[in-house]
Amino acid sequence: MNETPHSRRPDPASSSRSRPEAPIRSRTKSIHCSHCTRPYRHPCSAAIRPSPGSQHREGCMTDMETTTEGQRRELTIAFDIGGTFTDVIFITHDGQIFTRKLLSRLGTVGSRIAELASEIDGEAYRSFTHATTTCSNALLENKVASTGMITTKGFRDVLEMRNQRRPSIHDVGWERTPSLIPRRLVHELTERVLADGTAETPLDEDEIKTLLKGPLADVEAIAVCLVNSPANPDPERRVAEIIKSERPDVRVSVSALEFPEIGEYERMSTTAVNALLMPVVDQYLTRLEGQIDASGSALRIMQSQGGLMDSHVARTQPVQMIESGPAAGVLAAARIATNCSLDRVLAFDMGGTTAKASAILDARPMERPQVEVGAGASLASRFFGGAGHVVRAPSVDLVEVGAGGGSIAWIDSAGALRVGPEGAGAEPGPACYGNGGTQPTVTDANVVLGYLSADALADGSVPMNRELAERAVESVATPLGLSVIEAAYGIVQIANTTMIRALRAVSVEKGQDPRDFTMVAYGGAGPVHAVQLAEQLGVGTVYIPPFSGIFSAVGLLLGEYRHDAAISFAAPVDTLEPTSLEESFVKLQQRLSETLKTEGIDPEDATFHRHIDLKYRDSEEHLSIPCPPLDSRLSTTLTEDFANAYTAQFHYVPDAPLDVVGLRMTATAAAVDRQGSDILSNQYESTSAPEHRRTGARSRAYFGPEHGFLDVAMMTRNDLGTDPVNGPLLLNEPDTTVVVLPAWSARVDEHGNIVLERENS
């Protein structure tokens, strides 16, 4: 078994698999009932509270494995399945940490994780937390379920018309992405509800049954989105009841229950995306649960905004997990910002397929209220929109570009060298992996330049072949009249340029100076490129956190349960009645409480955060701000708070009345039954130094025309102290490599982070 064991605050007298001084203990636990196969949790000092609607076998606690201290043995497992690698971290009940980096072979990766879990502790209760790109990939590749839509007469073409936004306003040849649902599968009902909720034309139930037996007979899912349903959801509910009665096999997404906000297109698009993904996610999770043997375990999914939800909730709300994978890494980067008192952080994640950038201010990841999906990464769309399909769901604000370690280098029709967005994936992967790949990738270029070990990656589990890497790079070098070294350096610089655009999009394009930021770099390839990117941006300090190569998996251990709900609420600020606002917030809290109960969480243990959406009259953009106390100064406080938020975002305040457009609430509850929530708060030490990466060895690496080839010391994190060591250096980690350029230095802080600093910064 090739897991990499790690420990915090190691005892010098301990074995190679050393343990922390005190095991990490949870204050509450998630108990599994072997009868209903559903987890539920209870405070240690309180009676068991079963999940509503479930039937637990009496005495189910007797089936649990416990430690000698009377606590149940639990193995916490977090895994992030990326395009090339799957990052896995295991934490035992007594605090031992094991990590693995596996190739993302989707047919077997879940089974391999289960095998490793059995080798570590086959008798322990398993708690899984997972991040996935399944939803975003399905939308990008149009591998979604056959889906129909039922709407009000006269609104059949809303999905086709969308809105007036377009990313390329001067491109006469620009074409929209195809509609989410073909027009032939969008059908109308003659019902009509007015804006005040009055039913002008009642629902004809026979129309629905006719559609289900005719044009919608073969669909796997149906989106129900009737006009003005936020004002009166009863017709939509009745449509859903009829569908479930007539076609129980069909998945149904109802806008009034899941996305009750004003705006026909945004509401209809979000409902459609949710319906399209429901069968996809159900199939994916069913297969994954079978592979990891989740029948006796808990499986949680990371959402786009960094919260967690149980897998059975994810099946009904897949639209909340479109940005599941990237959010976990940003969450962990925010913890680094908290631990190290960093007020401005650029989180940079480079994996095998893509690179992601996000800004963290005051230790809080920036969020956006909606995203566009289905059109790939587009920096221009951040300003104009219209390239994809709107999803009205909160998400971590990040930019993703097609530049990863597996991105393929190629020559375009004009004879220019290009890199990405197409990647080599896990199979065959980069040429240097020796799995049959022949096209040159960024990873191959890094091997040729001497930045990566010519022996193995991922703690020795992925063998490397320098000769194959050179042969692949030569395939583009020869046509361009370049040497292999020149071509490899060019490939890396082109990839860096693409990633610089992403980092500038979350800083410069937001009115922020990147020189005021500290970079936190992670991912399998992030530490390789981090200093090069920081040098170009003018960033003077880069943090490489513990477990940086599997950092997104670490982020999964830091999440808490979270659910969001919103309703439309239209009123001028100066006419607001605190009583009516309170009534609406109470309804939102009841709605979120029901969702929490399905996950076995007592709403009394949750925290509910209130927000108000406002906009200046006749403007299009609205912002969400925390709700102030509902007292006699409500209007004044809202006006002042919103002016401050608007100025920070747009740098001016319009002379116009202020209107409320919606209310939203976030419910959070600690997932405290998992080990490792303080994994980044304590001293870190890797207890393994693979033989193919011996400390004290020296190598040669190419640092561009200015420096050429230089002798480079090869070290590990454990070799560094608090005093800076000058570059150039190669710091070998079990799951990545840190490249330290000349004129930069490396040291370790009290939390075990590698701190890279530029001279005279």
Side-chain angles (χ1 to χ4, degrees):
M1 182 174 180
N2 294 324
E3 305 88 11
T4 302
H6 301 275
S7 67
R8 298 181 304 278
R9 296 174 181 168
D11 179 354
S14 65
S15 65
S16 61
R17 291 187 178 180
S18 57
R19 302 182 181 184
E21 294 178 355
I24 303 171
R25 296 299 183 192
S26 301
R27 288 174 297 184
T28 66
K29 300 183 291 185
S30 177
I31 309 302
H32 178 263
C33 172
S34 61
H35 174 66
C36 67
T37 68
R38 289 272 306 281
Y40 61 105
R41 57 194 57 71
H42 71 91
C44 294
S45 60
I48 298 174
R49 289 195 294 266
S51 299
S54 61
Q55 296 180 349
H56 296 272
R57 180 173 59 78
E58 182 178 359
C60 63
M61 287 184 64
T62 60
D63 289 342
M64 296 187 308
E65 293 289 340
T66 61
T67 67
T68 57
E69 299 174 353
Q71 293 192 342
R72 177 175 50 93
R73 279 217 321 264
E74 180 171 326
L75 180 63
T76 299
I77 306 164
F79 62 105
D80 174 25
I81 299 180
T84 304
F85 284 103
T86 293
D87 302 332
V88 196
I89 185 166
F90 305 85
I91 304 182
T92 66
H93 70 279
D94 57 356
Q96 291 189 81
I97 300 173
F98 301 89
T99 66
R100 280 303 301 268
K101 207 170 185 68
L102 308 172
L103 286 172
S104 294
R105 298 186 174 105
L106 298 183
T108 60
V109 66
S111 300
R112 184 61 183 137
I113 292 171
E115 291 173 3
L116 294 173
S118 296
E119 292 179 28
I120 293 172
D121 191 341
E123 300 298 323
Y125 170 82
R126 299 175 187 176
S127 172
F128 292 94
T129 308
H130 174 42
T132 176
T133 57
T134 295
C135 292
S136 57
N137 291 344
L139 291 167
L140 282 170
E141 300 169 7
N142 198 29
K143 295 180 180 179
V144 292
S146 172
T147 303
M149 172 169 280
I150 294 177
T151 187
T152 302
K153 187 175 182 179
F155 291 84
R156 185 180 186 185
D157 295 313
V158 169
L159 284 180
E160 296 280 357
M161 295 186 297
R162 307 183 202 184
N163 51 33
Q164 297 302 310
R165 293 180 178 272
R166 55 183 294 168
S168 304
I169 58 177
H170 301 296
D171 184 0
V172 295
W174 177 77
E175 295 183 3
R176 283 190 185 275
T177 50
S179 178
L180 284 166
I181 299 176
R183 192 173 187 272
R184 61 182 175 81
L185 293 178
V186 180
H187 294 274
E188 301 174 331
L189 300 178
T190 55
E191 69 79 39
R192 184 61 184 258
V193 170
L194 301 181
D196 62 359
T198 304
E200 181 183 53
T201 304
L203 190 68
D204 185 346
E205 298 187 0
D206 290 335
E207 281 186 330
I208 305 168
K209 296 176 181 179
T210 300
L211 290 175
L212 296 175
K213 295 177 181 178
L216 299 181
D218 298 324
V219 298
E220 301 173 71
I222 296 176
V224 181
C225 194
L226 305 180
V227 70
N228 291 324
S229 63
N232 182 355
D234 291 339
E236 283 196 1
R237 289 173 177 165
R238 181 55 186 156
V239 172
E241 290 173 357
I242 294 172
I243 294 174
K244 292 176 181 177
S245 175
E246 298 289 321
R247 294 282 307 279
D249 59 314
V250 171
R251 297 279 178 171
V252 184
S253 181
V254 182
S255 76
L257 301 181
E258 296 158 356
F259 317 105
E261 295 185 67
I262 292 175
E264 283 85 1
Y265 168 62
E266 290 77 9
R267 181 163 51 87
M268 187 176 288
S269 177
T270 305
T271 307
V273 171
N274 199 60
L276 287 159
L277 293 174
M278 288 173 78
V280 174
V281 169
D282 180 57
Q283 182 180 11
Y284 171 80
L285 290 177
T286 299
R287 181 179 68 247
L288 179 63
E289 288 169 341
Q291 290 181 355
I292 64 176
D293 189 21
S295 59
S297 310
L299 174 61
R300 303 175 183 86
I301 307 297
M302 175 66 72
Q303 300 178 64
S304 302
Q305 21 76 339
L308 299 175
M309 59 181 171
D310 282 346
S311 59
H312 68 277
V313 177
R315 285 175 163 87
T316 63
Q317 300 179 22
V319 75
Q320 304 291 347
M321 52 185 283
I322 291 174
E323 297 287 354
S324 169
V330 177
L331 198 67
R335 178 63 64 87
I336 296 294
T338 298
N339 294 344
C340 302
S341 300
L342 306 175
D343 57 351
R344 293 173 180 268
V345 165
L346 287 176
F348 171 65
D349 175 10
M350 183 180 177
T353 306
T354 60
K356 282 80 68 175
S358 182
I360 300 170
L361 302 180
D362 298 323
R364 296 186 62 183
M366 302 299 292
E367 283 192 17
R368 49 186 170 178
Q370 67 182 36
V371 295
E372 285 193 2
V373 299
S378 173
L379 299 182
S381 68
R382 292 174 61 82
F383 293 104
F384 302 107
H389 311 289
V390 171
V391 170
R392 191 70 180 168
S395 171
V396 170
D397 188 10
L398 55 84
V399 173
E400 186 171 5
V401 293
S407 294
I408 295 172
W410 52 286
I411 301 174
D412 66 15
S413 58
L417 181 63
R418 306 282 294 276
V419 177
E422 183 180 354
E427 294 181 306
C432 58
Y433 289 3
N435 290 333
T438 58
Q439 296 176 291
T441 66
V442 175
T443 296
D444 293 311
N446 282 323
V447 171
V448 171
L449 294 174
Y451 299 159
L452 295 180
S453 169
D455 299 315
L457 287 178
D459 200 20
S461 61
V462 179
M464 301 283 279
N465 189 312
R466 182 185 178 89
E467 182 180 348
L468 292 177
E470 291 178 341
R471 190 181 306 167
V473 174
E474 187 178 15
S475 68
V476 294
T478 301
L480 295 173
L482 301 173
S483 68
V484 172
I485 290 294
E486 290 172 330
Y489 188 74
I491 290 170
V492 169
Q493 295 309 306
I494 292 170
N496 286 346
T497 299
T498 301
M499 293 183 285
I500 283 286
R501 292 180 61 210
L503 288 162
R504 284 178 174 156
V506 298
S507 57
V508 177
E509 294 172 11
K510 293 284 191 179
Q512 305 285 343
D513 189 339
R515 292 173 295 184
D516 297 333
F517 283 73
T518 299
M519 182 185 293
V520 175
Y522 50 94
V528 179
H529 293 254
V531 173
Q532 301 174 56
L533 299 176
E535 184 80 25
Q536 295 184 49
L537 282 172
V539 173
T541 305
V542 177
Y543 276 67
I544 309 297
F547 310 103
S548 54
I550 59 165
F551 203 57
S552 289
V554 173
L556 293 171
L557 299 171
L558 307 177
E560 58 184 0
Y561 281 100
R562 172 174 166 176
H563 294 287
D564 298 85
I567 58 173
S568 294
F569 189 102
V573 165
D574 55 11
T575 65
L576 283 178
E577 290 291 338
T579 302
S580 61
L581 281 178
E582 181 64 31
E583 291 175 353
S584 297
F585 276 124
V586 168
K587 292 179 181 178
L588 283 176
Q589 185 164 333
Q590 291 172 346
R591 187 168 133 204
L592 290 171
S593 295
E594 291 303 315
T595 302
L596 292 171
K597 289 176 182 178
T598 65
E599 295 178 316
I601 299 172
D602 190 331
E604 294 181 0
D605 296 331
T607 303
F608 297 87
H609 311 268
R610 298 179 172 187
H611 290 79
I612 298 182
D613 294 347
L614 304 104
K615 74 179 186 69
Y616 289 110
R617 197 168 301 167
D618 299 327
S619 66
E620 185 176 354
E621 297 294 336
H622 71 266
L623 298 178
S624 183
I625 64 172
C627 179
L630 300 180
D631 54 25
S632 58
R633 296 193 70 255
L634 176 63
S635 297
T636 302
T637 306
L638 281 176
T639 301
E640 294 173 353
D641 291 352
F642 188 74
N644 293 333
Y646 201 91
T647 301
Q649 181 83 4
F650 302 107
H651 305 287
Y652 80 105
V653 175
D655 183 14
L658 187 61
D659 294 330
V660 176
V661 295
L663 309 178
R664 61 186 64 249
M665 181 176 284
T666 298
T668 58
V672 292
D673 59 316
R674 294 173 298 123
Q675 300 281 1
S677 61
D678 64 343
I679 191 171
L680 297 176
S681 301
N682 300 313
Q683 178 62 43
Y684 161 93
E685 179 176 340
S686 172
T687 58
S688 69
E691 290 188 3
H692 66 276
R693 296 180 176 182
R694 288 191 180 93
T695 298
R698 299 191 69 83
S699 181
R700 287 179 62 80
Y702 184 77
F703 292 95
E706 180 181 356
H707 299 285
F709 277 98
L710 297 176
D711 288 332
V712 183
M714 300 179 66
M715 305 174 68
T716 69
R717 187 183 301 253
N718 293 343
D719 298 320
L720 297 176
T722 55
D723 295 328
V725 178
N726 293 328
L729 299 170
L730 293 180
L731 304 176
N732 289 317
E733 298 271 84
D735 39 38
T736 188
T737 297
V738 184
V739 178
V740 185
L741 297 182
W744 283 70
S745 64
R747 61 180 177 85
V748 172
D749 70 3
E750 64 271 23
H751 300 292
N753 300 297
I754 296 176
V755 183
L756 310 175
E757 295 169 305
R758 188 179 58 209
E759 293 179 2
N760 303 320
S761 61

